[in-house]
Amino acid sequence: MLEPRSPITSSLAATSGALSSLRLSERAPGALLQIAGWADFEAASAPALSELGFKGLGDYQEARTSGSAIAYRIAPDRLLLRHGEQEGLLTAARALDPETACCLDLSHARWVFGIEGATAASLLARLVPIDCDPAVFPTGRFAQTAIHHVGVLLDRRSEQQWELLIPVTWAQSLWDYLCEAAGPLGYRLEQAAE
Amino acid sequence: MTATRLPQGGWIDRNHTLSLTFDGRRLKAHPGDTLASALLANNHALVGRSFKYHRPRGVYSAGAEEPNALVALREGSRCEPNTRATQIEAFEGLVARSQNAWPSLRWDMGALNQLLSPALHAGFYYKTFIGPFQGTAFWMRCEHFIRKAAGMGEAQRAPDPDSYEKVNAFTDVLIVGSGPAGLGAALAAGRAGLRVLLVEQDWQLGGSLLSAPRGRQEAWLQEVERELRSFPNVTVLTRAMVFGAYDHDVYGAVERLWDHVATPPDGQPRQRYWQIRAKRTILATGALEQPLVFAGNDRPGVMLAGAVRSYLNRFAVRAGRLALVAANNDSAYATALDLAEAGAEVTLLDSRAEVPEELTGPLKERGVAVMSGHAVFAAKGHERVGGAAIAAVGSDGRALEALETITCDLIAVSGGWAPALHLWSQRQQKPRYDSTKACFLPEGGWVETQDCIGAAAGTGGTAAAFAAGLTTGNLQPGAAPTLTDNGPGDDWTRAPQRQVPFTGLSGKPAGKAFIDLQHDVTVSDIDLAEQEGYRSVEHLKRYTTSGMATDQGKTSNLNALARIAQLRGSSIGEAGTTTFRPPYTPIAIGALVGRDQGLHFRPIRRTAIHDWHQTAGAVMTDAGPWMRPWYYPQAGESVQQTYKREAAHVREQVGLVDVSTLGKIAVQGPDAAEFLNRVYVNGWKTLAVGRLRYGIMLREDGIVMDDGATARLDTHDYFMSTTTANAAKVLAFAEELLQTAWTDLRVQVTSVTDAWAAFALAGPRSRDLLSKLTPESDLSAAALPNNHWVAAEIAGIQLRIHRMSYSGELAYEVYCPSGYGRALWEAIVAAGHSFGLQPYGTEAMGALRVEKGHVAGPELDGRTTLADLCLEGFASKKKSYVGSVLKNRPLLQDPDRPTLVGLEIEGKQGANPGSLLFAAEGPTQGHGEGWVSSPTYSPALERNIALGFLKNGPQRKGERIRVVDFMSDTTLTAKVVSHHFFDPEGARQNA
Amino acid sequence: MLRLPCPLCGLRDETEFTYGGDATVIRPPESETDIAVWLDYVFLRDNPRGPHREYWHHVSGCRQWLVVERDTLTHTIGTARLARESKA
Amino acid sequence: MSGRYSAFKILGQALSGNRGWGRAWRDPAPKPAYDVVIVGAGGHGLATAYYLAKEHGQRKVAVLEKGWLGGGNTGRNTTIVRSNYMMPGNTLFYERSMKLWENLSQDLNFNVMFSQRGQYGLCHSPSQIDAARRRGNIMRANGIDAELLDREAVKRRLPDLDYSPNARFPIHGALFQGRAGTARHDAVAWGFARAADRLGVDIIQQCEVTGFLREGARIVGVETSRGPIAAGKVGLAVAGHSGHLAKAAGLRLPIESHKLQAFVSEPLKPLVDNVISYGAAHFYISQSDKGGLVLGGDLDGYNSYAQRGGLPIVEHTLASAKALMPSLSRLRILRHWAGVMDMSMDGSPIITKTPIEGLYLNGGWCYGGFKATPASGWCFAWTIAKDCPHPDNTEFTLERFARGYQIDEKGAGPTPNAH
Ligand SMILES: Cc1cc2nc3c(=O)[nH]c(=O)nc-3n(C[C@H](O)[C@H](O)[C@H](O)COP(=O)(O)OP(=O)(O)OC[C@H]3O[C@@H](n4cnc5c(N)ncnc54)[C@H](O)[C@@H]3O)c2cc1C
Ligand SMILES: NC(=O)c1ccc[n+]([C@@H]2O[C@H](COP(=O)([O-])OP(=O)(O)OC[C@H]3O[C@@H](n4cnc5c(N)ncnc54)[C@H](O)[C@@H]3O)[C@@H](O)[C@@H]2O)c1
Ligand SMILES: Cc1cc2nc3c(=O)[nH]c(=O)nc-3n(C[C@H](O)[C@H](O)[C@H](O)COP(=O)(O)O)c2cc1C
Ligand SMILES: [Zn+2]
């Protein structure tokens, strides 16, 4: 199976700052599928969702996990589904009725930046106009926002672990921007760990 | 003035000594000093020259309001002009220079201006330099010298070596200022568990407490600070100035992270810009002391009384030994007392006739001579104060007796206080004048989320200010460490009496009496403005420039208002204030830019093939946010040589171009065809799966917006492409239509630009090459005619091959998932060797499309109609579509409009884009009959050609016209021809 | 900087949105052929000084078109709803 | 009333304590009726009154101002004056303005400090060069000076800009107009006010127009905060307020009110000698005679009548400044403010008789009306006095949208905040 090529090709110093717990990584998102519909979206998307073990559309801003699938409710009639395996989503897609819903493979449209460590929220404060306080933005939440005018999706995977879904064509530019912002905090670049 | 460092006391660290340089002279200082305190400690009175008259000036204040002591800080590319010495923290190796003086600060030629001063009154320049001549030349010659004389500091011209960063902050409570009021509020909010951001511009917390003798409130301050810092929910920022209050409770602050050292540590930003979103804001910004206005009130050695006290108690610098303290309110009594304690001989003049015994008593005990009903009318001395003319004063500010000159080396003045309500007022609340407290107060506002407390709200007294802070969190004073008042006269709001200026018996000041020190605005300037009818405060400000200097009138606005009130016999409140604007004190441009500089000014968009292009030696060009290969020069080739070679190669063999930047939009749903039918001018109901079609869309006003091909991938699934430039605009427009107007359509539109890489393979050998790469696919003309697509696989990659041609050659567009784009590109290039495949850039692509007469960006300039572009035939007559009604507006239908034509340029020289078209005969005036939009050399036709717009163009085929470029002084001749220059029947693309 | 309450995403910075103009003008139906009606829709505005119903596109967020009530004098925000739901 | 200004008078006055300077303009009480009432004492309104009196012999003219004269956009703009317009209908109008500017100080006997320091419109791509060439050619064909400079020439003349590989949008060249420049904005209002006042025009400040007096369909005067005032003709010149005032008269306009910010730095010795417009973002810079760098950026982008701006545009403007001229980074911003402007649907103005009898409109100036001040007043006065437009403002009508007359310099379409 072919692996998508990383859009990140700049060779940055692997570390910056001596003592840092901040770890930065970049990787492919796995499979990404957008499901969209009209009229009764709840019913229209149900077959695909139940295929993945989700019930209902879920709340906006809530990143739901089921097995290795994540569901983001990104709009009233849209869901973004993420899965480790392409096949997992394909079965879900096949469950949809094209008269009531449509699906779109976006696996190649995004890249993932991982930000991890005690200062992760500090770095994010330098990048997004989003309150990352755990009381406001707890684990299991996501936000669609912008870094440097580019729309991104920010997902808090755990207390100190965040993922950003970045449009691939902007990824290199934002990666450089992000690393520059992280410089004063100190960081370590990590190989994708999944 | 003889200033000295006292042997003990103050908040300075005497264990360490720092060496500073001012105008080449060494100054000894300690950590905890400012440049201003160091200058005073070294008895350095003369610090700068004033704006207009170049009068000698010294340190006037101890804070953000400083009008005089502006210096150029640091050297070389780190130099910062106009920096307030009163806020520069001393550091080892600090270098500063004086400004606006030539040849030196002591001997400044500019001071000769003073001789002319009666002619240099407010606004004199509006009345002269007009000249007896017509035109602007005379004025501009005068202006040249005026400009040189104006300005204060000198800017350096090298890029800034330091970096900056921006941080987004969210807080329950933002507290600005850490005096007793701010600290009280922070304690209250901190204990309540709220998220608190406490922001203080100084490096030390405490505000006005730091001006009291150190022992007095130090323990209290330490205790409160310890408690605050123990709260995880409280963030304390020092060296951070909140510069602006904006809509919806957004505040801006700049934190000076490393301005207190010579250079920031490696990699660390110099300053940090905080963009703060606060649920609630408490402004505890204190009050600013105001000057007294009398002749020579600008001489070095005239200082604000509160500042004199700060230098004494915080920096252990006694600004003078023979001190005259002059005041119109209670607050200066503490200064007089502390000066006396520090060994100065002190006389206190209070312009008020009545002063209570409890104020004067303690002073008299200390040997201070207290004279109520007296004022200072003139400062004596030149480069520093040597004496003062004093006398008894009436309530109108006039001397009641002959002036008497006394000797002194310091005049500490207090003209009352003005609450620092800047941030409050910036949200468009005009403050109200309180005649009892003789100041403007932040009252009558409408922003419920913002409160002013403490001195900023006109609360007098330290304990009261602290209590006001506690109250914001419903705490009683008893709930926190007790804070007592800070010396006599701590209630600065008690019975002040404002007289501006102090004058001799004549009613005129006994010399130049300054209202705005930095801008050299005198009382007579204010008077003149009033006399000439510049009566609104806003006119007054702009005519005299009072309040427009770097201090923004912190020490002048109130006195200017007081003077006009006096002239009119009205109240200060009636005059009203000018508008408070951000920033509170000036902020570095770089700070607000943060990291959005250099190549990060805007993010860059790259295709999956970007690096390959660069390795292949492509010269890249900007296309909106994208970088695209412009041309791929071979050794020594110019852009012209390259594109001709590349374009010719496409026509002869085969070329490959990266078109991933085209906008791509998935249009999905049962009503997708209906949607396309409405947005495009042509029909979409009959397009079969497996086919694609070129479409044009208009704006709502009937002007052409965009074009591109759309493929039908499946029953309910279309793949739309747009031009690179308009991708975002088209998507947003589609979403607008679907979400606001056509809510009944069952359609979803999603950008898939990032998902797909796209390459065009063009040239007579393209089919052979592709067939070799995907032997299973039948790409024959019969199986895959133009405007059809087919799914295929190359090098294990699933992809689509669209047969369509932009170049006019047999051509294909290959779409594959972008993550495989590079692999596919390399596979094509590898296989292409034997076919002579060459990459080509946007310049060659342009040449090819011009040969074919296809329109692009230069033709779709936002003003052209379908008919202008000879595309009217595309539009369906059977349906309505976006713009279909307004495109019929009469002048858009005018047959005389400039219309797309081809131009064959005669001679060897090509036309420049943007040249104007004129008939063969007649003048070349006006707007011409048209213009050249896209010229090129056509390798295929071996001549220079161009697309252009010409009035009545289609009817003028064969006519010879002139192509005029005034910019390069050239006139060419061209023959008007069809814009389909090359292979008009399309035999090659249909091959 | 304005902060706009997106019904889906919560209170967000103005920088995530693009402004879409007056939301009280109603796009004529496809069948409308009267040029005057289209001229009105495309070119003429009430431009009030005070309460204003206007479109904002949450372009870096949920990409929804919102109808927001905002005062053009004070910038105070009233309600914000999805455009598709607030269409009368 | 004040006498003529001159250097001799200044010296004479200096010797006698400056006691003889008279009022620059009177402060008259409103009369019950005027032949012409102009609403709005900005540069345009004052210039209109001045030219009505001077060119058309109108003697009973009043200018009504809700605040202080010159306090609108005239008093808060970045003062750039140029005549580099390429659409027929614009070109000659702005050139007329330029010619009036060139002798305005003499005409008004008030130094408006029009300094023809030249304006550079920078280009950052080959296609921007092409567009600049077309503009430059049209200017020259209409007798207006214009010069197209390549990168090297720009670099020689403006050495402090960013020519390094670090520049995100490299400079490819510039369109230069040498006669362009800046003027002292307040002086323009004051100069016109003083000159109009000397011709007998009543300038009435603190007098807000709140409605209109009508006789049938005809407008015969205005309601004001200081009572009704009858007028033979009423001309609106209220910049950002055209929309709601016209609405009170029953007219809907192709206009939205938007705010634009401006910035001034601390005063510096000469650093920027010309006007420079950045081509990669909406940004321009010049330096005032007082030494402050004057910076302008893009619209905040949403309808507003508040004269204050927000941080996104502050950041955007300052980032553009640093991108253009990296050495500006350590210099400091002293003040920033905003003005409320009529943004029209095609970015071009309106100077016209309206469909309502007795009502005339001067508006829709977007961010370009300061340079137009003299010609706008001149043409508006003509239109009011003669009841028909001058050839230079014939296309500045309200009907042009229905006719399809295109006068959209940017080609941005009917989106007011995109011009
Ligand atoms: C930040 C900024 C930068 C700009 N930069 C430039 C530039 O560089 N070059 C350029 O050419 N143009 C520029 N402009 C545009 C230019 O300032 C204006 O187009 C021009 O000044 C308009 O002049 P005016 O006389 O029509 O309006 P104004 O000067 O605004 O005058 C209108 C007057 O009408 C008054 N008024 C409003 N309503 C009423 C009422 N109901 N009753 C009585 N009076 C009323 C107002 O108080 C105001 O005084 C800029 C504008 C801004 C805001
Ligand atoms: N005796 C006097 O001469 C006199 C005069 C005035 C005030 N006071 C005393 O001070 C007390 C006031 O205490 P308070 O807490 O209200 O004021 P304060 O003056 O003690 O503290 C204000 C603080 O705000 C800071 N600040 C101001 N603007 C800022 C900004 N934009 N960003 C960041 N920091 C900023 C200042 O640096 C200062 O530390 C009075 O009640 C009291 O009596 C005394
Ligand atoms: C060209 C120009 C230069 C200016 N220079 C200064 C200046 O040097 N100092 C200053 O305080 N304000 C300066 N201003 C801004 C004015 O103080 C004021 O902010 C502006 O006219 C808007 O008025 P407002 O802030 O009262 O609403 C300048 C304004 C303009 C248009
Ligand atoms: Zn949203």
Side-chain angles (χ1 to χ4, degrees), chain A residues 1-10 34 36-39 77-78 98-100 102-106 108-110 122 124-133 136 147-150 167-174 176-177 180-185, chain B residues 165-171 195 267-269 272 275 277 595-597 599-608 611 625-626 666 668-670 715-717 735 745-756 795-797 817-820 822-823 826:
Chain A
M1 177 65 189
L2 270 169
E3 288 301 321
R5 185 186 160 93
S6 170
I8 310 302
T9 57
S10 62
Q34 175 182 278
W38 31 90
D77 46 13
R78 284 186 188 203
E99 292 304 317
T100 58
C102 55
C103 61
L104 193 61
D105 182 357
L106 294 174
H108 285 248
R110 303 284 184 275
S122 302
L124 286 167
R126 283 153 177 76
L127 298 171
V128 290
I130 294 286
D131 190 351
C132 294
D133 188 277
V136 184
I147 297 181
H148 208 192
H149 319 291
V150 178
V168 275
T169 56
W170 298 103
Q172 174 75 66
S173 192
L174 292 192
D176 293 343
Y177 191 74
E180 215 182 286
L185 298 170
Chain B
E165 70 179 12
K166 170 181 168 182
V167 170
N168 294 292
F170 298 79
T171 187
R195 264 207 284 178
Q268 292 302 317
R272 177 180 297 149
Q275 196 178 68
R277 297 137 189 94
R595 303 202 175 274
D596 296 2
Q597 55 146 6
L599 290 175
H600 285 309
F601 171 54
R602 292 279 185 279
I604 298 172
R605 216 170 171 185
R606 293 173 171 92
T607 74
D611 294 345
W626 292 96
Q668 299 172 290
T715 319
H716 294 338
D717 211 344
E735 287 167 328
L745 289 192
R746 295 165 299 164
V747 180
Q748 291 282 348
V749 288
T750 312
S751 168
V752 287
T753 305
D754 287 272
W756 298 93
I797 301 165
S818 58
Y820 307 145
R822 174 69 181 268
E826 285 179 14

Side-chain angles (χ1 to χ4, degrees), chain B residues 596-602 622, chain D residues 80 119-125 128 154 158 161-163 166-175 275-286 296-298 316-326 410:
Chain B
D596 296 2
Q597 55 146 6
L599 290 175
H600 285 309
F601 171 54
R602 292 279 185 279
D622 290 295
Chain D
I80 300 170
Q119 187 242 2
Y120 293 86
L122 297 178
C123 304
H124 304 267
S125 66
Q128 283 191 338
V154 178
L158 303 173
L161 309 188
D162 193 353
Y163 301 97
N166 208 28
R168 173 70 180 83
F169 298 105
I171 294 167
H172 283 233
L175 185 64
V275 179
I276 307 172
S277 306
Y278 192 36
H282 210 292
F283 172 73
Y284 40 92
I285 183 169
S286 66
D298 211 344
H316 166 274
T317 307
L318 301 186
S320 304
K322 186 169 178 182
L324 177 69
M325 234 173 122
K410 253 187 155 177

Side-chain angles (χ1 to χ4, degrees), chain B residues 669-987:
Chain B
D671 295 323
E674 172 64 19
F675 171 79
L676 294 171
N677 220 36
R678 292 187 192 182
V679 294
Y680 280 120
V681 303
N682 42 336
W684 290 83
K685 290 286 177 77
T686 57
L687 188 74
V689 175
R691 303 195 60 156
L692 43 116
R693 178 172 291 171
Y694 173 75
I696 307 171
M697 58 178 89
L698 308 184
R699 295 193 308 230
E700 294 278 24
D701 64 351
I703 300 297
V704 175
M705 173 156 98
D706 199 56
D707 68 344
T710 294
R712 186 167 189 184
L713 303 183
D714 207 336
T715 319
H716 294 338
D717 211 344
Y718 292 78
F719 184 91
M720 172 192 276
S721 66
T722 73
T723 61
T724 301
N726 288 328
K729 192 155 90 182
V730 171
L731 179 65
F733 185 42
E735 287 167 328
E736 177 180 7
L737 289 168
L738 289 169
Q739 293 180 33
T740 71
W742 303 338
T743 46
D744 54 330
L745 289 192
R746 295 165 299 164
V747 180
Q748 291 282 348
V749 288
T750 312
S751 168
V752 287
T753 305
D754 287 272
W756 298 93
F759 322 132
L761 199 59
R765 304 184 73 180
S766 56
R767 180 182 288 134
D768 299 345
L769 170 52
L770 259 190
S771 302
K772 181 179 163 202
L773 280 160
T774 170
E776 280 87 74
S777 308
D778 180 357
L779 302 179
S780 67
L784 187 67
N786 240 335
N787 291 326
H788 284 66
W789 67 270
V790 62
E793 184 184 311
I794 297 177
I797 301 165
Q798 304 297 320
L799 45 78
R800 286 198 318 267
I801 299 173
H802 294 202
R803 179 157 175 206
M804 60 167 295
S805 177
Y806 191 54
S807 57
E809 293 304 314
L810 172 65
Y812 301 87
E813 279 178 2
V814 186
Y815 286 84
C816 82
S818 58
Y820 307 145
R822 174 69 181 268
L824 176 63
W825 178 277
E826 285 179 14
I828 297 174
V829 168
H833 276 307
S834 49
F835 296 83
L837 179 74
Q838 283 187 8
Y840 63 103
T842 52
E843 192 68 23
M845 193 169 75
L848 293 165
R849 69 104 185 160
V850 171
E851 288 179 335
K852 285 298 294 175
H854 290 314
V855 295
E859 287 75 35
L860 309 184
D861 71 353
R863 286 178 290 256
T864 42
T865 64
L866 281 176
D868 297 348
L869 299 167
C870 302
L871 294 171
E872 186 72 48
F874 265 87
S876 162
K877 306 248 181 317
K878 294 192 229 109
K879 59 158 194 171
S880 61
Y881 47 87
V882 171
S884 61
V885 175
L886 289 186
K887 88 187 232 299
N888 295 327
R889 289 180 285 162
L891 291 178
L892 300 182
Q893 297 286 314
D894 184 354
D896 229 23
R897 286 172 66 89
T899 305
L900 188 69
V901 292
L903 299 170
E904 281 178 9
I905 316 291
E906 299 184 356
K908 284 233 167 329
Q909 195 182 343
N912 283 327
S915 299
L916 301 186
L917 304 180
F918 290 94
E921 303 289 331
T924 50
Q925 279 168 10
H927 288 76
E929 293 198 275
W931 67 94
V932 172
S933 54
S934 301
T936 187
Y937 176 80
S938 164
L941 304 170
E942 294 183 343
R943 63 182 316 148
N944 286 298
I945 58 170
L947 295 178
F949 291 86
L950 181 67
K951 278 191 177 151
N952 222 348
Q955 276 71 55
R956 295 169 70 171
K957 302 236 167 85
E959 187 180 325
R960 291 174 74 238
I961 58 170
R962 282 174 299 169
V963 179
V964 184
D965 182 22
F966 294 89
M967 298 291 96
S968 64
D969 261 329
T970 51
T971 301
L972 306 173
T973 307
K975 191 167 104 192
V976 181
V977 296
S978 156
H979 57 284
H980 303 293
F981 294 96
F982 182 72
D983 184 25
E985 301 76 31

Side-chain angles (χ1 to χ4, degrees), chain A residues 74 144, chain C residues 6-10 12 16-17 58 61-64 66:
Chain A
I74 56 173
Q144 299 180 83
Chain C
C6 174
L8 273 51
C9 306
R12 293 299 185 91
E16 293 184 359
F17 298 81
H58 196 184
C62 59
R63 295 202 69 97
Q64 298 303 297
L66 313 180

Side-chain angles (χ1 to χ4, degrees), chain B residues 1-82:
Chain B
M1 180 188 188
T2 34
T4 49
R5 174 86 78 193
L6 299 172
Q8 70 263 323
W11 292 81
I12 50 172
D13 171 9
R14 290 172 200 263
N15 296 326
H16 295 93
T17 301
L18 305 171
S19 171
L20 282 49
T21 316
F22 179 71
D23 274 348
R25 219 182 99 185
R26 288 200 40 198
L27 308 173
K28 207 180 113 186
H30 297 293
D33 264 322
T34 62
L35 174 59
S37 68
L39 284 163
L40 289 171
N42 288 269
N43 193 25
H44 202 118
L46 177 60
V47 182
R49 290 278 173 173
S50 67
F51 192 77
K52 189 151 99 176
Y53 303 129
H54 292 251
R55 308 246 305 185
R57 294 288 166 81
V59 173
Y60 191 75
S61 75
E65 67 274 36
E66 178 61 32
N68 285 343
L70 306 185
V71 301
L73 177 64
R74 296 190 170 85
E75 294 175 296
S77 58
R78 287 198 163 86
C79 176
E80 279 174 275
N82 303 326

